[in-house]
Amino acid sequence: MSTPLIVGNWKMNGLGEAVTEIAAMAGAGRANLWVAPPFTLIDRAVIVAAGAVTIGGQDCHAAFSGAHTGCVSAAMLADLGAGFVIIGHSERRTDNGECDADVRAKALAARAAGLDVIVCVGETQEQRDAGAAEAIVGAQLAGSLPDAVDGLIVAYEPVWAIGTGRTPTPADVAAIHGFIRAQLLARFGLMGRGVRILYGGSVKPDNAALLLGQPHVGGALVGGASLTAASFLAIAAAAG
Ligand code: PEP
């Protein structure tokens, strides 16, 4: 089994001094730690990470360049030394009205710029209560994924678990990750076997081992608990 991939999403958090946390993460000498700080910290984060932590973006524009005030392209991220980008996070789908077609266009742009791409999917509480979690996640996968598996990672993040302290049961995590694997196999054939699927939503040091121990869970996408080296490294250690 490969080392779990632990990805931190700092969202809109962190001023200059916060890169000391990334330096501390890098100093721990662990493999497979990735962090997406805000755009403003990427260049400094790349320097302090010194290749020991992979630094990425939290979003990118679908276009290579152009008249898009305030936006950042995948090529710009790559130019700063980023190695990946998170696309289709539920906060962007909700706050910025991003639909599956937008997410797919961004994923294609990211791959064209040579970035690995983490495509996020996940249902709301209402959708889960209605028994529609698989239908929603299946539709998001069908509409959001790029055409090839190279550099592709999928993150399953139930919206109701993000930042709430609530998580699905281990059985529910196993069930939906198994469903996602089946969708990947149907779409990409045997190549779908190698696509890493992350779980995200209130992952903490004390629940990481259980959540990441489920079948088809290849790592975690971590929000709040990725902001300090202490808790992020504790999650990585618990994950194995
Ligand atoms: C996230 O925002 O991707 C996330 C999983 O957040 P948290 O870990 O804080 O729930």
Side-chain angles (χ1 to χ4, degrees):
M1 209 180 60
S2 60
T3 313
L5 174 63
I6 312 297
V7 183
N9 171 17
W10 279 15
K11 311 191 186 192
M12 197 173 71
N13 294 295
L15 298 177
E17 76 275 7
V19 297
T20 57
E21 297 296 332
I22 291 176
M25 293 169 190
R30 283 196 71 94
N32 275 8
L33 296 183
W34 293 10
V35 175
F39 289 134
T40 49
L41 292 181
I42 288 177
D43 51 355
R44 281 172 277 181
V46 166
I47 291 168
V48 302
V53 172
T54 300
I55 302 301
Q58 300 171 16
D59 179 47
C60 68
H61 198 277
F64 182 81
S65 63
H68 303 289
T69 303
C71 296
V72 172
S73 74
M76 290 169 178
L77 293 175
D79 187 46
L80 286 179
F84 73 97
V85 62
I86 299 168
I87 298 294
H89 191 283
S90 62
E91 287 155 12
R92 292 209 59 87
R93 289 178 185 261
T94 304
D95 297 354
N96 300 78
E98 291 183 8
C99 66
D100 291 333
D102 298 325
V103 176
R104 177 177 147 80
K106 290 178 178 210
L108 292 171
R111 289 302 303 136
L115 299 175
D116 285 350
V117 60
I118 301 175
V119 175
C120 300
V121 296
E123 82 286 356
T124 63
Q125 181 72 66
E126 225 174 27
Q127 291 162 338
R128 174 156 284 263
D129 291 347
E134 289 191 356
I136 294 297
V137 168
Q140 289 174 335
L141 290 170
S144 304
L145 294 185
D147 300 322
V149 297
D150 305 317
L152 172 64
I153 294 165
V154 172
Y156 168 65
E157 296 208 303
V159 179
W160 51 273
I162 295 177
T164 60
R166 296 167 55 218
T167 58
T169 65
D172 284 344
V173 171
I176 198 126
H177 278 248
F179 170 77
I180 292 170
R181 177 68 67 210
Q183 300 300 300
L184 291 169
L185 290 169
R187 171 90 172 254
F188 299 113
L190 285 182
M191 299 294 280
R193 267 204 312 219
V195 176
R196 199 186 277 271
I197 310 170
L198 308 179
Y199 167 77
S202 295
V203 176
K204 308 289 177 204
D206 61 358
N207 63 17
L210 187 60
L211 293 167
L212 273 67
Q214 302 310 308
H216 302 294
V217 180
L221 181 52
V222 185
S226 72
L227 291 172
T228 66
S231 56
F232 195 55
L233 291 170
I235 288 171

